[in-house]
Amino acid sequence: MLPEVEAWLRGRTSSADDWPLHALLERKGATTVSVVLPARDERATIGTIIRVIRRELDGLVDEVVVIDSRSSDDTAAVAVRAGAAVHAQDEILPELKPLDGKGEALWKSLAVTSGELVVFVDSDLRDFRASMVTGLLGPLLDDPSVVYVKGCYDRPLLGAPTGGGRVTELVARPLINLHWPQLAGFVQPLAGEYAGRRSALERVPFITGYGVEIGLLIDLLEMAGLDALAQVDLGSREHSPQSTEALGAMAGQIMLAVWSRLERQGKMIPLHEPSARLSQFSRAGSGHKVTTRDVSIAERPPMITMAGNLR
């Protein structure tokens, strides 16, 4: 690990317990805070998350916004009853051709929120605690030079205390260490819980698929430098594990996102266009069935370029 990263770990890593609510309320002043929950078919968990934020973080969080990403269940209705403002993903900036993926929902949230600080939280968390929000806000409210904060945590899997985060360990971490060793200190580079200053988030592009997290980390490092980034230990995080096939598709999108950044930053000279088709196999009778899926990614430009459409 680079010496500068070791120094960064000591100076820019904290714990959620370091940022008690009363201290953040004192620091908040006139700063406004938005919490964004991207959601697709998350009726089982989203209501609890919203109620915890509304009940425990009154005075700190100014708005809770759910971006409903084409849910087939009543996620939107559950979120409204719990106290969130809900926006259908495809109805935001309707003049644009709709795109797919989590990153699309996160990017569009910038057009319908107003907070100077924006906190993103996955809506499938089973063990959500208010400290997941206060922890992420702590470094931003404490130090104006910090523009982006990633959560880190233990990842329980199927009853074991660890074992989650397989795509991180098998794909994202090796790629980061190979090509952006300054980011090697991030414990969970693909964490879905993170926060940033609107002034920074609106100036970077958003990859629309599962590559959004690694894309933001790489782009914000390039734009603001390592010392403007921080991470906070949020304890433990548990959600419904995805199948190996789904994780394979996620890994494909992350690798395409990394490819795009390597090319954009002049770290490689591409001699071909990478394929966005992923073939996977499953047992079928005495042989194997092949399923091929499209794992292509798209990219939205910095939201600041859409200034005429901002809320």
Side-chain angles (χ1 to χ4, degrees), residues 262-311:
L262 289 170
E263 183 176 8
R264 182 173 301 171
Q265 294 184 4
K267 290 178 177 284
M268 72 167 182
I269 301 174
L271 300 179
H272 72 286
E273 189 70 23
S275 172
R277 306 290 288 173
L278 176 67
S279 295
Q280 297 171 302
F281 295 86
S282 59
R283 173 66 68 178
S286 60
H288 289 86
K289 175 185 176 182
V290 61
T291 301
T292 300
R293 68 173 79 188
D294 181 1
V295 295
S296 60
I297 58 174
E299 184 172 302
R300 290 298 194 184
M303 183 58 79
I304 197 170
T305 66
M306 310 291 294
N309 296 297
L310 296 181
R311 172 174 166 175

Side-chain angles (χ1 to χ4, degrees), residues 17-305:
D17 292 340
D18 296 330
W19 310 108
L21 178 59
H22 67 86
L24 298 186
L25 289 171
E26 292 176 1
R27 291 181 171 94
K28 182 177 189 285
T31 305
T32 52
V33 175
S34 302
V35 175
V36 171
L37 296 156
R40 176 181 290 181
D41 297 335
E42 301 295 356
R43 72 171 319 277
T45 51
I46 197 166
T48 298
I49 295 172
I50 295 167
R51 285 190 291 272
V52 168
I53 295 171
R54 285 299 190 194
R55 181 178 66 247
E56 299 185 27
L57 299 182
D58 182 46
L60 181 67
V61 173
D62 298 286
E63 62 178 355
V64 181
V65 174
V66 171
I67 307 299
D68 186 40
S69 186
R70 306 169 190 159
S71 293
S72 60
D73 65 8
D74 61 345
T75 290
V78 171
V80 169
R81 289 196 297 270
V86 178
H87 297 269
Q89 175 179 306
D90 293 341
E91 294 177 6
I92 303 170
L93 303 177
E95 69 277 13
L96 301 178
K97 178 183 176 181
L99 297 176
D100 298 325
K102 178 184 179 183
E104 171 84 339
L106 299 182
W107 181 75
K108 284 189 169 181
S109 75
L110 297 177
V112 294
T113 54
S114 57
E116 296 163 75
L117 305 181
V118 183
V119 182
F120 297 113
V121 176
D122 281 347
S123 55
D124 63 345
L125 302 185
R126 296 174 176 172
D127 57 348
F128 179 79
R129 304 169 300 280
S131 60
M132 290 182 164
V133 173
T134 55
L136 293 170
L137 287 171
L140 293 166
L141 289 171
D142 182 65
D143 187 342
S145 70
V146 174
V147 304
Y148 188 66
V149 181
K150 289 285 288 187
C152 63
Y153 27 63
D154 297 331
R155 297 289 304 274
L157 180 65
L158 302 176
T162 59
R166 289 164 285 174
V167 176
T168 292
E169 299 306 325
L170 298 176
V171 180
R173 195 178 311 285
L175 287 170
I176 283 172
N177 278 264
L178 280 170
H179 303 295
W180 293 277
Q182 283 183 296
L183 297 176
F186 280 92
V187 179
Q188 296 287 351
L190 302 184
E193 286 66 50
Y194 43 96
R197 298 190 189 279
R198 177 176 296 273
S199 57
L201 294 171
E202 289 184 348
R203 285 170 169 77
V204 290
F206 276 59
I207 293 169
T208 58
Y210 283 113
V212 60
E213 277 87 17
I214 199 166
L216 285 173
L217 201 55
I218 293 167
D219 291 345
L220 286 164
L221 172 69
E222 183 180 35
M223 184 187 79
L226 181 60
D227 199 50
L229 314 180
Q231 68 179 343
V232 175
D233 186 350
L234 302 178
S236 179
R237 176 193 190 274
E238 187 171 2
H239 67 161
S240 300
Q242 297 197 52
S243 67
T244 301
E245 291 75 20
L247 294 178
M250 183 186 301
Q253 291 196 327
I254 289 166
M255 294 179 78
L256 287 171
V258 167
W259 178 289
S260 72
R261 270 37 189 183
L262 289 170
E263 183 176 8
R264 182 173 301 171
Q265 294 184 4
K267 290 178 177 284
M268 72 167 182
I269 301 174
L271 300 179
H272 72 286
E273 189 70 23
S275 172
R277 306 290 288 173
L278 176 67
S279 295
Q280 297 171 302
F281 295 86
S282 59
R283 173 66 68 178
S286 60
H288 289 86
K289 175 185 176 182
V290 61
T291 301
T292 300
R293 68 173 79 188
D294 181 1
V295 295
S296 60
I297 58 174
E299 184 172 302
R300 290 298 194 184
M303 183 58 79
I304 197 170
T305 66

